[in-house]
Amino acid sequence: MRRGMPLTPARTVPDWRRRLDRLGARTMTAVGDWLAPRARAAPSEPRISALVAAVAVAGGVLPILVMAVTWATRPEPARPEPPCRAPRQPAGYVLADRPGEDRYRPGRQCNSAGAENTVERSGTGRYLVVLGRLGRAGGVAEVTAVTRDDRICTLLDWHPDGADELLRVNCFDRAGKPADSGFTARWHLGAGAGAAAYLRLGDPGRTSQTVDDEYSHNGRGGTNSADREDTGSYVVHFGSMDDVDGGTVKVTPVADAATVCEVQRWFAYPEGRNLAVRVRCRDVTGQPVDSRFAITFAAGPDAVHGGYLRADRPGEARYTPRGPFQLNRAGQASVVTRTGRGQYRVGLGGLPGTGDLQVTPYDTAASCVIGPDDDAVHVICHAPSGARADAGFLLIARR
């Protein structure tokens, strides 16, 4: 410090208060003179204190209010989709949820090749599903209508086109006329070893046939075959699976007309060392009709990554399916709740309801669809008359 220079006295609290009072008085006088020039009384200490308090409150409360308004009006975050689980075998699915749109990429889809799937609408109720880079000969395909309306969806065919796999889907109303509808469609080739098998019945009029082409697979290495017992009535045999207990079945009509195929039951058939599945096919009026169809059988966690259940108590208000005909890989119980005539809510007990869902009528002449809902799984069934009807069903949920 240089000698001879006077020391500046330290400012005390009263000093700073007097300075703030003078600054506040000058500011108020200047603002008042600008708004309404006239003589003004000297400001008092309470006025200055009130001004300082108001400024402090505004400075503290306003940011909080702005934050609260911003939080309240923020857009709802998008619900993340569960990751697409690519299986070991070639497979893909789509949820086609824009039935009137000409061409789009579904938001919910999966492709084991990591490619993109698209859906194209070629006419009323007629759709082409393109599974990118999954083009293979054979395999099995499945489809289920996803709508709140009374709709029936079938597969016309599926085949490779260059590098891609094409699935042709037709949807109809109860009168049998083409009608737009949402749907979920899945295709896969092979199912690994174990209790899994599928086939495509190519000639529905033959009394007996062995199916050993590329549209047939048996994880146990057994022979797949089918017998026609009567019009629209078939017994499918999956060889070397006579020791399998429970499991689930999915049947999809392969037809260019409105057709419904249901599973009546399935059971081990020791005399032929196979698993026998009874299938019934009907037209929209409920009358038996011969039809081609694709059928998939799976049992156990190695065959289905997700879960399945057999809902066989259609009139019961609420129940938990038990035994070998249900599977939940999350280790929890699934619950079926009847919410109205022909309407059911399925709680999958820890499994996400946003993967691929497939439903098949069980021991009934009714047809069933999946009701569109991101928060729950809904199954809606209709009698041939078009009225909602209580019915049993088989549900498969895959990731």
Side-chain angles (χ1 to χ4, degrees):
M1 181 179 297
R2 296 173 60 184
R3 293 180 180 273
M5 177 176 279
L7 294 175
T8 302
R11 301 292 183 186
T12 63
V13 172
D15 292 332
W16 284 113
R17 183 161 189 158
R18 283 192 295 270
R19 282 174 170 263
L20 287 174
D21 284 348
R22 287 196 295 271
L23 178 61
R26 290 171 184 168
T27 302
M28 291 183 66
T29 301
V31 172
D33 289 343
W34 180 71
L35 293 173
R38 59 186 174 87
R40 298 187 179 274
S44 64
E45 182 175 334
R47 290 174 59 190
I48 297 303
S49 299
L51 175 63
V52 173
V55 172
V57 169
V61 173
L62 283 178
I64 296 176
L65 290 175
V66 171
M67 291 172 62
V69 171
T70 303
W71 179 86
T73 58
R74 78 194 192 285
E76 188 71 21
R79 179 181 289 106
E81 289 289 343
C84 169
R85 179 183 184 274
R88 290 186 296 272
Q89 72 273 10
Y93 70 75
V94 298
L95 171 62
D97 55 359
R98 306 180 215 168
E101 198 164 324
D102 288 341
R103 188 177 189 277
Y104 63 97
R105 178 191 180 279
R108 188 188 305 173
Q109 62 167 286
C110 187
N111 185 305
S112 63
E116 187 173 277
N117 305 328
T118 58
V119 176
E120 301 175 13
R121 179 180 179 271
S122 58
T124 302
R126 298 187 179 277
Y127 304 93
L128 176 68
V129 177
V130 181
L131 304 178
R133 302 212 313 263
L134 287 179
R136 307 285 196 283
V140 68
E142 305 166 355
V143 68
T144 296
V146 179
T147 175
R148 298 191 185 281
D149 299 321
D150 184 11
R151 293 289 184 264
I152 296 169
C153 291
T154 69
L155 281 164
L156 183 60
D157 62 28
W158 64 94
H159 58 84
D161 182 28
D164 303 329
E165 184 72 20
L166 307 183
L167 281 64
R168 299 187 184 276
V169 178
N170 292 344
C171 296
F172 308 88
D173 61 17
R174 181 54 61 175
K177 297 180 180 179
D180 290 339
S181 176
F183 61 88
T184 178
R186 183 178 189 271
W187 172 89
H188 71 269
L189 178 67
Y198 61 76
L199 66 80
R200 183 174 78 174
L201 186 75
D203 187 353
R206 288 179 57 183
T207 302
S208 182
Q209 55 193 297
T210 297
V211 185
D212 59 359
D213 56 16
E214 61 268 29
Y215 296 96
S216 175
H217 171 82
N218 189 305
R220 294 280 185 84
T223 300
N224 297 337
S225 61
D227 296 333
R228 178 182 180 273
E229 297 182 321
D230 202 346
T231 302
S233 179
Y234 305 90
V235 178
V236 175
H237 303 277
F238 292 119
S240 302
M241 295 204 183
D242 53 304
D243 61 337
V244 175
D245 189 20
T248 191
V249 182
K250 167 61 184 173
V251 178
T252 299
V254 180
D256 57 0
T259 307
V260 178
C261 291
E262 50 120 348
V263 173
Q264 189 178 47
R265 63 192 180 102
W266 65 96
F267 51 92
Y269 192 63
E271 291 83 356
R273 292 188 56 77
N274 60 61
L275 186 77
V277 185
R278 292 191 177 276
V279 177
R280 302 287 184 270
C281 295
R282 298 179 173 88
D283 62 17
V284 291
T285 67
Q287 297 302 308
V289 60
D290 288 338
S291 175
R292 296 187 300 158
F293 59 83
I295 180 171
T296 303
F297 171 78
D302 293 336
V304 175
H305 184 84
Y308 54 77
L309 59 85
R310 185 175 75 179
D312 55 359
R313 306 180 218 169
E316 197 162 324
R318 180 183 173 90
Y319 64 96
T320 298
R322 302 289 185 184
F325 298 98
Q326 69 85 32
L327 169 74
N328 186 313
R329 290 195 59 160
Q332 302 181 32
S334 298
V335 178
V336 180
T337 303
R338 180 179 180 270
T339 59
R341 180 176 291 276
Q343 302 176 72
Y344 305 91
R345 184 184 188 278
V346 181
L348 295 175
L351 292 176
T354 52
D356 175 57
L357 300 171
Q358 297 289 339
V359 67
T360 298
Y362 176 70
D363 197 21
T364 178
S367 60
C368 297
V369 303
I370 295 174
D373 192 329
D374 288 336
D375 297 322
V377 178
H378 293 277
V379 176
I380 306 170
C381 300
H382 294 84
S385 65
R388 289 188 177 179
D390 292 340
F393 59 87
L394 307 170
L395 177 71
I396 306 176
R398 302 185 183 95
R399 287 282 297 279

Coordinates of all heavy atoms in Angstrom, one line a residue, residues 191 193-197 220 241 243-249 266 275 296-305 308 324-327 396 398:
A191 N -37.9 -73.8 -37.0 CA -38.2 -73.4 -35.6 C -37.2 -74.1 -34.7 O -37.5 -74.2 -33.5 CB -39.7 -73.9 -35.3
A193 N -34.8 -77.1 -33.0 CA -35.2 -78.4 -32.5 C -36.2 -78.3 -31.4 O -36.5 -77.3 -30.9 CB -33.9 -79.1 -32.1
G194 N -36.7 -79.5 -31.0 CA -37.6 -79.5 -29.9 C -39.1 -79.6 -30.3 O -39.4 -80.0 -31.4
A195 N -40.0 -79.2 -29.4 CA -41.4 -79.3 -29.6 C -42.0 -78.2 -30.4 O -42.7 -77.3 -29.9 CB -42.1 -79.5 -28.3
A196 N -41.6 -78.1 -31.7 CA -42.1 -77.1 -32.6 C -42.3 -77.7 -34.0 O -41.4 -78.4 -34.4 CB -41.2 -75.9 -32.6
A197 N -43.4 -77.4 -34.6 CA -43.6 -77.9 -36.0 C -44.6 -77.1 -36.7 O -45.4 -76.3 -36.1 CB -44.1 -79.4 -35.9
R220 N -38.6 -82.4 -34.2 CA -38.2 -83.7 -33.7 C -37.8 -84.6 -34.8 O -37.4 -85.8 -34.6 CB -39.4 -84.4 -32.9 CG -39.7 -83.7 -31.6 CD -38.8 -84.0 -30.5 NE -39.2 -83.5 -29.2 CZ -40.1 -84.0 -28.4 NH1 -40.7 -85.1 -28.7 NH2 -40.3 -83.4 -27.2
M241 N -44.0 -86.6 -31.7 CA -44.3 -85.7 -30.6 C -45.4 -86.2 -29.7 O -46.2 -85.5 -29.1 CB -44.8 -84.3 -31.2 CG -43.7 -83.6 -31.9 SD -43.9 -81.8 -32.0 CE -42.4 -81.4 -32.9
D243 N -45.1 -87.6 -26.9 CA -44.8 -87.4 -25.5 C -45.0 -85.9 -25.1 O -44.7 -85.5 -23.9 CB -43.4 -87.8 -25.1 CG -42.3 -87.0 -25.9 OD1 -42.7 -86.5 -27.0 OD2 -41.2 -87.0 -25.4
V244 N -45.4 -85.0 -26.0 CA -45.5 -83.6 -25.7 C -46.8 -83.3 -25.0 O -47.9 -83.8 -25.4 CB -45.4 -82.8 -27.0 CG1 -45.7 -81.3 -26.7 CG2 -44.1 -83.0 -27.7
D245 N -46.7 -82.6 -23.9 CA -47.9 -82.2 -23.1 C -48.2 -80.7 -23.2 O -47.3 -79.9 -23.0 CB -47.7 -82.6 -21.7 CG -49.0 -82.5 -20.9 OD1 -50.1 -82.5 -21.5 OD2 -48.9 -82.5 -19.6
G246 N -49.4 -80.3 -23.6 CA -49.8 -78.9 -23.6 C -49.3 -78.2 -24.9 O -49.5 -78.7 -26.0
G247 N -48.8 -77.0 -24.7 CA -48.4 -76.2 -25.9 C -49.5 -75.4 -26.4 O -50.5 -75.2 -25.8
T248 N -49.3 -74.9 -27.6 CA -50.3 -74.0 -28.3 C -50.3 -74.3 -29.8 O -49.4 -74.8 -30.3 CB -50.1 -72.5 -27.9 OG1 -51.2 -71.8 -28.4 CG2 -48.8 -72.0 -28.7
V249 N -51.4 -73.8 -30.4 CA -51.6 -74.0 -31.9 C -52.1 -72.7 -32.5 O -52.9 -72.0 -31.9 CB -52.6 -75.1 -32.2 CG1 -52.7 -75.3 -33.7 CG2 -52.1 -76.4 -31.5
W266 N -56.2 -80.8 -29.3 CA -55.1 -81.6 -29.7 C -54.7 -82.5 -28.6 O -54.9 -82.2 -27.4 CB -53.9 -80.7 -30.2 CG -53.3 -79.8 -29.1 CD1 -52.2 -80.0 -28.4 CD2 -53.8 -78.5 -28.7 NE1 -51.9 -79.0 -27.6 CE2 -52.8 -78.0 -27.8 CE3 -54.8 -77.7 -29.1 CZ2 -53.0 -76.7 -27.2 CZ3 -55.0 -76.4 -28.5 CH2 -54.1 -76.0 -27.6
L275 N -48.5 -86.2 -32.5 CA -49.5 -85.3 -31.9 C -50.5 -85.0 -32.9 O -50.2 -84.6 -34.0 CB -48.8 -84.0 -31.5 CG -49.6 -83.0 -30.6 CD1 -49.7 -83.5 -29.2 CD2 -49.0 -81.6 -30.7
T296 N -49.3 -74.0 -37.0 CA -48.1 -74.0 -36.3 C -48.4 -74.6 -34.9 O -49.4 -74.2 -34.2 CB -47.6 -72.6 -36.1 OG1 -47.3 -72.0 -37.4 CG2 -46.2 -72.6 -35.3
F297 N -47.5 -75.5 -34.4 CA -47.6 -76.0 -33.1 C -46.3 -75.7 -32.3 O -45.2 -75.7 -32.9 CB -47.8 -77.5 -33.0 CG -47.6 -78.1 -31.7 CD1 -48.7 -78.0 -30.7 CD2 -46.5 -78.7 -31.3 CE1 -48.5 -78.5 -29.5 CE2 -46.3 -79.3 -30.0 CZ -47.3 -79.2 -29.1
A298 N -46.4 -75.3 -31.1 CA -45.2 -75.0 -30.3 C -45.5 -75.3 -28.8 O -46.6 -75.0 -28.3 CB -44.8 -73.5 -30.4
A299 N -44.5 -75.8 -28.1 CA -44.6 -76.1 -26.7 C -43.3 -75.8 -26.0 O -42.2 -76.2 -26.4 CB -45.0 -77.5 -26.5
G300 N -43.4 -75.0 -24.9 CA -42.2 -74.8 -24.1 C -41.5 -73.5 -24.4 O -41.6 -72.9 -25.5
P301 N -40.6 -73.1 -23.5 CA -39.9 -71.8 -23.7 C -38.9 -71.8 -24.8 O -38.5 -70.7 -25.3 CB -39.2 -71.6 -22.3 CG -39.1 -72.9 -21.7 CD -40.3 -73.7 -22.2
D302 N -38.4 -73.0 -25.2 CA -37.5 -73.0 -26.4 C -38.2 -72.8 -27.7 O -37.6 -72.4 -28.7 CB -36.8 -74.4 -26.4 CG -35.8 -74.6 -25.2 OD1 -35.4 -73.5 -24.7 OD2 -35.6 -75.7 -24.9
A303 N -39.5 -73.0 -27.7 CA -40.3 -72.8 -28.9 C -40.9 -71.4 -29.1 O -41.1 -71.0 -30.2 CB -41.4 -73.9 -29.0
V304 N -41.2 -70.8 -28.0 CA -41.9 -69.5 -28.0 C -41.2 -68.5 -27.1 O -41.1 -68.7 -25.9 CB -43.4 -69.6 -27.6 CG1 -44.0 -68.2 -27.5 CG2 -44.1 -70.4 -28.6
H305 N -40.6 -67.4 -27.6 CA -40.0 -66.4 -26.8 C -41.1 -65.4 -26.5 O -41.3 -64.5 -27.2 CB -38.8 -65.7 -27.5 CG -38.1 -64.8 -26.6 ND1 -37.1 -65.1 -25.7 CD2 -38.2 -63.4 -26.4 CE1 -36.7 -64.1 -25.0 NE2 -37.3 -63.0 -25.5
Y308 N -47.9 -67.9 -24.2 CA -49.1 -68.3 -24.8 C -50.1 -68.8 -23.8 O -49.7 -69.1 -22.6 CB -48.9 -69.4 -25.9 CG -48.1 -70.7 -25.4 CD1 -48.8 -71.6 -24.6 CD2 -46.8 -70.9 -25.7 CE1 -48.1 -72.8 -24.2 CE2 -46.1 -72.0 -25.3 CZ -46.7 -72.9 -24.5 OH -46.1 -74.0 -24.1
P324 N -50.2 -77.1 -18.6 CA -49.2 -77.0 -19.7 C -49.7 -76.2 -20.9 O -48.9 -76.1 -21.8 CB -49.0 -78.5 -20.0 CG -50.3 -79.1 -19.7 CD -50.8 -78.4 -18.4
F325 N -50.9 -75.8 -20.9 CA -51.4 -75.0 -22.1 C -51.2 -73.5 -22.0 O -51.8 -72.8 -22.7 CB -52.9 -75.3 -22.3 CG -53.2 -76.8 -22.6 CD1 -53.6 -77.6 -21.6 CD2 -53.0 -77.3 -23.9 CE1 -53.9 -79.0 -21.9 CE2 -53.3 -78.6 -24.2 CZ -53.7 -79.5 -23.2
Q326 N -50.4 -73.2 -21.0 CA -50.1 -71.7 -20.9 C -48.6 -71.6 -20.6 O -48.0 -72.5 -19.9 CB -50.9 -71.1 -19.8 CG -50.6 -71.5 -18.4 CD -49.5 -70.8 -17.7 OE1 -49.3 -69.6 -18.0 NE2 -48.8 -71.5 -16.8
L327 N -48.0 -70.5 -21.0 CA -46.6 -70.3 -20.8 C -46.4 -68.8 -20.6 O -47.0 -68.0 -21.4 CB -45.7 -70.8 -22.0 CG -44.2 -70.4 -22.0 CD1 -43.5 -71.1 -20.9 CD2 -43.6 -70.6 -23.4
I396 N -51.1 -66.3 -28.7 CA -49.6 -66.4 -28.7 C -49.1 -65.0 -28.7 O -49.5 -64.2 -29.5 CB -49.1 -67.2 -29.9 CG1 -49.7 -68.6 -30.0 CG2 -47.6 -67.3 -29.8 CD1 -49.3 -69.4 -31.2
R398 N -45.4 -63.1 -29.0 CA -44.0 -63.2 -29.3 C -43.3 -61.9 -29.3 O -43.9 -60.9 -29.7 CB -43.8 -64.0 -30.6 CG -44.4 -65.3 -30.7 CD -44.0 -66.0 -32.0 NE -44.5 -67.2 -32.3 CZ -45.6 -67.4 -33.0 NH1 -46.3 -66.4 -33.5 NH2 -46.1 -68.6 -33.3

